[in-house]
Amino acid sequence: MTAPATTDTGRIPGEVGIWVFVLGDMSVFALFFSTFAYSQARDGSDFTRAQKQLELPFGLLNTVLLLTSSLFVAIAVHRVLQGDPRRVRQLFVGALACGLCFLGVKALEWGQLFADGRSAGGTGGEGEMFNYYFMFTGIHALHVVIGCIVLSRLIALDPAQPRTDNQKVLVESGGIFWHMVDLLWVVLFALFYLTR
Amino acid sequence: MSPSMQRVFAWSGVAYVTMVFGGALMAGLIPPISPHATAAQIASFWASHTNLKRVGIVILVAGSGVQVPFGALIAVRVRRMEGRETPLTYVAVAAIALQVMSLLFPAMVYAAASFRPERNPEITQALNDLAWLPFVMNWEAAALQAGALGLAVFGQRGREVFPRWSGYYNLWTAFLYSAGGFVVMFKTGVFAWNGLLAFWFVAVVFGSWFSITTWLLLKTVTSDDTVTSDDAVTSNDEGSLAR
């Protein structure tokens, strides 16, 4: 069923199927980014005025959180593949904590925007920007939730037991998914908070 | 069931998609009228080429049940992947029934909209909304079907019925269908019912899912033949004793 995780040259990290998912999902987000760029170019200053209402510190904090969690995951996956069980569980717990903080910051940011009367469903350049903002960051946040569930599954693996090949594939595939979630956020961050 | 009949069941997925897109084109639903259109614009839309539109709607209604054999074959394959207890099979069966309603309900309301185009335009507009909103927003049944199949693929033990990548593909598809689920919030933009992401993108994902799943089902028909010689005695799976 699944290829054993070996270190032969030319092997595919994780399993082939996870790449179907990752490349598919990244294509979808590429489409998202293109539509955003198109509307931004069309609506001009109305659009960028709405972007300026987004608070850069929230976005920056979330970027740091996800990059940190990705570092934890990368170290943990590396150790699992090397057969080194030291602090693997703590690293995954750290990554999960960063993921949950990311969702907390997102909730604060959304709450503040809602309090200021911003929501999805507006029209005109400004409304359009917030439509993109809430839909894209909402869909991304759902990815973070799924990623947190995956991390919880990895935390549940018994650190005292040596990893089976299937578990190594699971860990590596989970790591790949988490890095994708991180990568997509970095692009979303740049689009919403920096191109204005 | 004989392999040739199984192939017919598999192909009914493609037949369904062909009827949906063909009927929708004839009914003027592709490209969709804007949710931003006025009552007068919507009334004049339904008043033009009304008979052609009605024929398209007849095809939509007729097509709504065509995917049932396709869905039944999926459910049988899901059962084979699941083993003794089969909750995902029940999800797949329930989803196929809901899938029929997801098309049948809006199609009947389109029929009502086209039935008296000379009526008060605001009534036609209300019917137009009542058809378009569920037509694009009814994503759960399709997502349940793809989701049940995807989870079954991940859960399969022993012999492989569907390739493992198709599990990821199905879960990804189930997730993407949700892009149509927000159309009630938007009258313009990419997430409106005529938008790039809510309509066009989901339409492509939907159409390709039926085509790819038909292809995957056709491949399981061939593998059935090889299964037969191996364990015809122990297995009571469909088709194994047919020949």
Side-chain angles (χ1 to χ4, degrees):
Chain A
M1 291 225 320
T2 51
T6 61
T7 46
D8 293 343
T9 51
R11 98 189 169 89
I12 297 172
E15 59 170 299
V16 178
I18 188 73
W19 291 102
V20 173
F21 187 90
V22 165
L23 294 178
D25 221 34
M26 289 184 35
S27 317
V28 173
F29 270 86
L31 186 63
F32 284 6
F33 302 149
S34 322
T35 59
F36 180 91
Y38 171 80
S39 293
Q40 191 186 43
R42 188 192 56 190
D43 296 339
S45 61
D46 281 354
F47 203 88
T48 45
R49 195 180 315 120
Q51 280 180 274
K52 290 194 177 96
Q53 297 171 31
L54 299 175
E55 300 272 7
L56 184 63
F58 281 129
L60 202 57
L61 179 58
N62 266 345
T63 307
V64 173
L65 280 169
L66 279 195
L67 287 174
T68 309
S69 72
S70 250
L71 179 64
F72 288 156
V73 167
I75 296 170
V77 169
H78 181 71
R79 286 191 182 168
V80 167
L81 294 183
Q82 299 293 316
D84 171 7
R86 283 178 307 126
R87 295 186 189 280
V88 164
R89 180 175 272 177
Q90 286 91 328
L91 286 164
F92 281 133
V93 169
L96 177 64
C98 288
L100 294 175
C101 288
F102 176 94
L103 293 172
V105 171
K106 180 76 39 195
L108 279 177
E109 186 179 16
W110 278 35
Q112 198 177 78
L113 287 166
F114 288 147
D116 292 343
R118 309 284 164 220
S119 66
T123 51
E126 209 173 310
E128 197 83 322
M129 199 312 280
F130 279 105
N131 291 346
Y132 280 118
Y133 171 78
F134 284 112
M135 290 301 293
F136 289 178
T137 60
I139 290 167
H140 178 264
L142 200 53
H143 280 73
V144 176
V145 171
I146 294 168
C148 286
I149 294 169
V150 172
L151 287 176
S152 307
R153 174 72 186 84
L154 299 185
I155 289 166
L157 294 174
D158 183 355
Q161 300 292 325
R163 294 281 160 268
T164 64
D165 283 346
N166 271 348
Q167 286 177 337
K168 283 183 177 174
V169 170
L170 177 72
V171 167
E172 211 177 8
S173 300
I176 290 164
F177 180 78
W178 191 258
H179 293 319
M180 181 197 73
V181 171
D182 181 18
L183 174 67
L184 292 175
W185 172 256
V186 171
V187 181
L188 282 174
F189 170 69
L191 271 185
F192 281 107
Y193 297 85
L194 301 182
T195 64
R196 54 188 190 182
Chain B
M1 186 186 260
S2 72
S4 57
M5 189 52 89
Q6 289 183 43
R7 286 192 191 94
V8 172
F9 271 47
W11 277 109
S12 78
V14 168
Y16 166 77
V17 163
T18 309
M19 289 177 84
V20 171
F21 284 99
L25 275 170
M26 283 175 77
L29 306 178
I30 301 175
I33 191 168
S34 166
H36 210 52
T38 63
Q41 285 168 333
I42 290 165
S44 93
F45 167 82
W46 285 107
S48 65
H49 306 293
T50 308
N51 279 326
L52 181 65
K53 289 186 166 89
R54 287 171 183 155
V55 174
I57 292 164
V58 166
I59 292 173
L60 282 180
V61 171
S64 63
V66 170
Q67 59 160 319
V68 170
F70 169 81
L73 192 59
I74 290 177
V76 165
R77 295 295 182 258
V78 168
R79 193 186 71 190
R80 184 183 296 172
M81 288 187 263
E82 271 193 296
R84 192 172 295 274
E85 297 205 335
T86 58
L88 289 172
T89 307
Y90 296 132
V91 174
V93 171
I96 195 71
L98 286 171
Q99 279 257 58
V100 174
M101 287 312 296
S102 301
L103 178 60
L104 190 57
F105 171 69
M108 294 311 297
V109 184
Y110 285 127
S114 75
F115 194 56
R116 296 182 210 276
E118 70 285 357
R119 67 166 88 75
N120 179 344
E122 289 190 355
I123 295 173
T124 301
Q125 184 182 34
L127 290 172
N128 191 73
D129 288 346
L130 189 55
W132 265 111
L133 287 171
F135 190 56
V136 183
M137 209 173 153
N138 262 340
W139 62 277
E140 326 81 298
L144 276 173
Q145 193 177 35
L149 180 52
L151 290 178
V153 170
F154 284 129
Q156 61 188 337
R157 298 277 176 266
R159 69 171 174 219
E160 189 174 274
V161 180
F162 271 42
R164 208 173 139 84
W165 62 262
S166 70
Y168 284 102
Y169 170 67
N170 273 282
L171 291 190
W172 178 71
T173 299
F175 190 71
L176 294 182
Y177 283 149
S178 65
F182 299 89
V183 294
V184 71
M185 293 159 68
F186 304 102
K187 291 198 179 57
T188 59
V190 290
F191 286 104
W193 81 42
N194 66 342
L196 178 69
L197 295 179
F199 183 81
W200 295 102
F201 177 64
V202 172
V204 170
V205 170
F206 185 79
S208 45
W209 184 81
F210 276 90
S211 312
I212 289 171
T213 306
T214 294
W215 172 65
L216 287 169
L217 283 173
L218 286 170
K219 293 206 323 189
T220 65
V221 175
T222 325
S223 71
D224 250 0
D225 298 340
T226 56
V227 163
T228 311
S229 55
D230 287 335
D231 53 5
V233 182
T234 52
S235 162
N236 64 348
D237 271 351
E238 65 292 354
S240 20
L241 298 170
R243 294 157 311 280

